[in-house]
Amino acid sequence: MRTQVGIVGAGPAGLLLAHLLEREGIESVVLEDRSRRYVEERVRAGLLEQGTADVLERSGVGERMRREGLVHHGIELRFDGASHRIAITDLTGRSIMIYGQQEVVKDLIAARLACGGPILFEVSDVALEGLDARSPAISATQAGTRIRIECDYIAGCDGTHGVCRGFIPGGVLTHFEREYPFAWLGILAKAPPVSHELIYSRHQRGFALYTMRSPSLTRAYLQCKPDEDLAAWSDRRIWDELHVRLQGGAKRLEEGEIVLRGVTPMRSYVCEPMQYGRLFLAGDAAHIVPPTGAKGLNLAVHDICVLAQALVAAYRGERSLLERYSERCLRRVWRAEHFSWWMTSMLHRFDGDDPFQERLQLAQLEYVTGSRAAATSMAENYAGLPYEEHGR
Ligand SMILES: Cc1cc2nc3c(=O)[nH]c(=O)nc-3n(C[C@H](O)[C@H](O)[C@H](O)COP(=O)(O)OP(=O)(O)OC[C@H]3O[C@@H](n4cnc5c(N)ncnc54)[C@H](O)[C@@H]3O)c2cc1C
C-alpha cells in the first residue's frame, strides 16, 4: 500500500490531521490499535478552548458541537469556604466550550468515513522504518495479515503509551518529566449539573473539580493517591466526599447513578524535538500535562494545525515550515506545561505540606481572585492564548 501521510493513532490528533489533510487533497491512512467502538466511547477530556472550537467549526466538523456543546463564560474557584468567579469572557473576550472528547472523535470519524478515507482499526504490532529516508514505511498486523504502507511522511499521533516515539534513535530526544504524588479519581454520573460553570475547589482533604458533559451528565474528580483502590470507593463515599470538598460550591449537588469511574495519574512530560527525519510526533505522543488546566486535547489540536499547514506547504515545495514544526509547537506546549503545573500546585494538597505552604497557596488564590490583572492572566491561559498567525 502507498499513501502520502501515514498516521498512527485515531485519537483527536490523528483523526483531525487526516481530516485537515483531506480538505487540502492530501491522502492519508490512519492506523489504530483499538476498535471503532472503543475510541468512540473513551471518556476523557471535555473542555475545548475557543481556538480548538474554532478549528473544528472552520474545518466543517463543528455542526453537532454548536448544537450540543455548552458555552461557558467563567469558572469558579472555591477555597477557605468562599466562592470566587473568574469571568473569563469579560476579562478576555473569549469563551470555552464543554463538549466531550469522545463526541469530537465521533464527529471526526463520521467525516472521515463520509469522504471514504481509510481508517484501519484493530491493527497490532505497528513498526516504523526508514524514518530518515525519502520514503519511510509503517508495517502492522491486521486480521492476522502483515501489511506495509509506504509514505512520504509519518505522523505519530499514538498518545502517551504509543510506539512511534520509540522508533527515534537513542540520543536524539531529550525528555523533560515531572511526576505528581497524587492522582484524580474521576466519575461520570447520570445527574444534571447544578452549576452552570466548572468549580475548582481547594480543600484540606484534597482538591475536587466539579464539571459536566451535557445537561444530564455530571463529571467530577477527587484528588486521590496514585495507587488508590477503586474498590474502596462506594458510590456513597464518592458523593459524600464531593459534598465535603466542594464546600457547598454545588449547593444542591444532584446525585445520580455513577456510570464510569477511573483513576488518572498526574504527570508532566515533554520530549524535544517533536520530530525526527520524516516522523512528526503530535499530541500526547510528544507531551503530557496534568489535567488541572484542561490543556491536553487543546495542545493536540494546536500541534495538528501547525503540522497540517507545514505538510500542505511541503507538498507545494516549501519545506521550511516542516523543518520548524517542533520549534513552532514547543512555545505553546511549554506555556501550557507551566500553566498546568501552576494550577496543579495552587489547588492540590501535597504530602508534607506545612502551614507555610498552605498560606502560600491561599495567598496565591486570593491574588488570582482579587486582582483584575492576575485574574486576566489566569483567564487568558485557561481560555487559551490566541493561535499565532503561523500556527493557524
Ligand atoms: C481523565 C482525563 C481528563 C482529561 N481532561 C482534559 C480536558 O478537560 N481538556 C483537555 O484539553 N485535555 C484533557 N485530557 C487530556 C486529553 O484527553 C488528551 O490530551 C488527548 O486525548 C490527546 O489526544 P491524542 O490524539 O494526542 O492522544 P490519544 O487520545 O491518546 O489518542 C492516541 C490514539 O492512538 C492509539 N494508539 C496507541 N498506541 C497505538 C499503537 N501502537 N498503534 C496504533 N494505535 C495506537 C490509541 O488507542 C488512541 O486512539 C484529559 C485526559 C484524561 C485521561
Side-chain angles (χ1 to χ4, degrees), residues 8-13 31-34 39 42 44-47 101 126 157-159 162-163 219 221 264 282-284 294-298 300:
V8 185
L31 296 98
E32 163 63 49
D33 67 353
R34 301 290 191 155
V39 297
R42 186 168 42 196
R44 281 187 169 176
L47 191 148
Q101 174 171 326
V126 166
C157 303
D158 51 350
V163 294
R219 183 102 163 112
Y221 301 95
T264 306
D284 279 15
K295 289 287 164 245
L297 169 61
N298 294 298

Side-chain angles (χ1 to χ4, degrees), residues 97-127:
M97 169 77 79
I98 303 297
Y99 188 62
Q101 174 171 326
Q102 73 278 18
E103 306 305 326
V104 174
V105 164
K106 278 180 206 152
D107 295 344
L108 287 167
I109 290 179
R112 180 79 180 152
L113 297 179
C115 70
I119 312 184
L120 312 182
F121 288 104
E122 298 181 74
V123 302
S124 58
D125 301 321
V126 166

Side-chain angles (χ1 to χ4, degrees), residues 37-70:
R37 182 162 177 199
Y38 183 91
V39 297
E40 288 191 336
E41 289 181 0
R42 186 168 42 196
V43 175
R44 281 187 169 176
L47 191 148
L48 312 185
E49 293 176 355
Q50 183 166 330
T52 299
D54 289 349
V55 167
L56 298 176
E57 190 71 65
R58 273 202 309 265
S59 68
V61 283
E63 193 270 328
R64 199 162 66 90
M65 173 186 74
R66 202 181 325 123
R67 236 180 326 116
E68 297 177 13
L70 311 170

Side-chain angles (χ1 to χ4, degrees), residues 178-186 222-231 233 245 262-267 344 348-351:
R178 177 142 308 179
E179 298 278 345
Y180 298 83
F182 40 74
W184 278 10
L185 192 168
L222 290 165
Q223 178 183 350
C224 65
K225 295 196 299 278
D227 57 352
E228 193 72 49
D229 178 12
L230 269 180
W233 286 84
R245 292 200 201 172
V263 173
T264 306
M266 307 278 278
R267 192 167 154 244
T344 303
H348 289 73
R349 268 200 75 81
F350 287 72
D351 282 347

Side-chain angles (χ1 to χ4, degrees), residues 203-272:
H203 191 270
Q204 290 289 12
R205 294 172 66 89
F207 168 74
L209 170 61
Y210 184 82
T211 169
M212 62 293 295
R213 285 296 178 269
S214 74
S216 58
L217 283 175
T218 291
R219 183 102 163 112
Y221 301 95
L222 290 165
Q223 178 183 350
C224 65
K225 295 196 299 278
D227 57 352
E228 193 72 49
D229 178 12
L230 269 180
W233 286 84
S234 63
D235 288 17
R236 188 65 267 142
R237 183 177 171 202
I238 291 174
W239 288 115
D240 286 348
E241 197 64 28
L242 281 169
H243 283 292
V244 172
R245 292 200 201 172
L246 289 166
Q247 311 168 70
K251 280 200 183 61
R252 304 163 315 283
L253 186 67
E254 286 260 2
E255 298 183 10
E257 184 195 349
I258 296 179
V259 289
L260 196 87
R261 70 189 74 204
V263 173
T264 306
M266 307 278 278
R267 192 167 154 244
S268 300
Y269 168 79
V270 181
C271 77
E272 288 189 12

